[in-house]
């Protein structure tokens, strides 16, 4: 860490949305301190996000469903998963920052639309997924 960056405290009393905002601003400062803003276009960030998501998928690629459910039990694979999740979230937050998307508002709105689109009907519908 250099003199233009300061380590942000993470007090436990902060609400999750406050922590998310702090992390998003920290990522912006990290990129600015290195002169990376010209490269942080929506297209480049979307591509980077896709690459990082693919790296997360790669961890699970040849695992059985049972093996994938236990991936966090082994420290080595748990560390890899956590690292890739962090990379995906970092690029998503940077993407949202560049485009002015409030990630929590967008998620809340999407959940509300899905609740209307897929009302509870009394039981699970095994042959239909939210992607349909």
């Amino acid at each position: 860490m250099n003199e233009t960056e300061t380590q942000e405290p993470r007090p436990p009393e902060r609400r999750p949305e406050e922590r998310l905002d702090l992390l998003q601003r920290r990522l912006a400062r990290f990129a600015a301190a290195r002169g990376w803003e010209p490269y942080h276009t929506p297209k480049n960030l979307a591509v980077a996000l896709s690459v990082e998501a693919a790296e997360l998928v790669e961890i699970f690629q040849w695992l059985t469903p049972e093996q994938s459910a236990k991936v966090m039990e082994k420290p080595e694979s748990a560390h890899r998963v956590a690292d890739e999740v962090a990379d995906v979230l970092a690029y998503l937050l940077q993407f949202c920052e560049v485009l002015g998307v409030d990630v929590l508002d967008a998620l809340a709105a999407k959940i509300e639309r899905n609740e209307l689109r897929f009302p509870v009907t009394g039981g699970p519908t095994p042959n239909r997924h939210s992607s349909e």
Side-chain angles (χ1 to χ4, degrees):
M1 189 160 302
N2 64 37
E3 59 211 38
T4 61
E5 298 173 336
T6 59
Q7 191 163 4
E8 300 247 354
R10 286 184 16 191
E13 68 274 359
R14 290 200 190 277
R15 296 185 331 221
E17 60 272 18
E18 291 172 334
R19 287 187 60 204
L20 191 64
D21 184 57
L22 286 173
L23 291 170
Q24 193 166 19
R25 285 187 276 139
R26 188 173 174 190
L27 285 166
R29 284 195 308 276
F30 181 88
R34 288 154 181 80
W36 292 351
E37 297 105 323
Y39 308 105
H40 283 196
T41 65
K43 181 208 64 102
N44 287 350
L45 291 168
V47 169
L49 174 59
S50 174
V51 169
E52 294 301 338
E55 290 179 7
L56 179 60
V57 170
E58 182 182 28
I59 296 167
F60 296 90
Q61 185 174 9
W62 302 114
L63 300 181
T64 65
E66 295 77 20
Q67 291 169 323
S68 71
K70 296 179 181 179
V71 74
M72 298 306 284
E73 292 175 7
K74 296 179 183 173
E76 182 181 311
S77 58
H79 178 72
R80 287 183 61 210
V81 169
D83 273 356
E84 296 308 332
V85 165
D87 288 342
V88 168
L89 182 58
Y91 277 115
L92 179 61
L93 290 175
Q94 291 173 86
F95 178 82
C96 290
E97 176 76 18
V98 166
L99 290 178
V101 174
D102 182 306
V103 68
L104 295 177
D105 286 348
L107 178 58
K110 181 66 174 184
I111 291 169
E112 288 174 20
R113 286 192 306 274
N114 282 344
E115 287 171 341
L116 293 172
R117 185 173 171 204
F118 303 101
V120 176
T121 59
T125 52
N127 296 325
R128 186 163 183 229
H129 187 266
S130 64
S131 62
E132 296 175 6

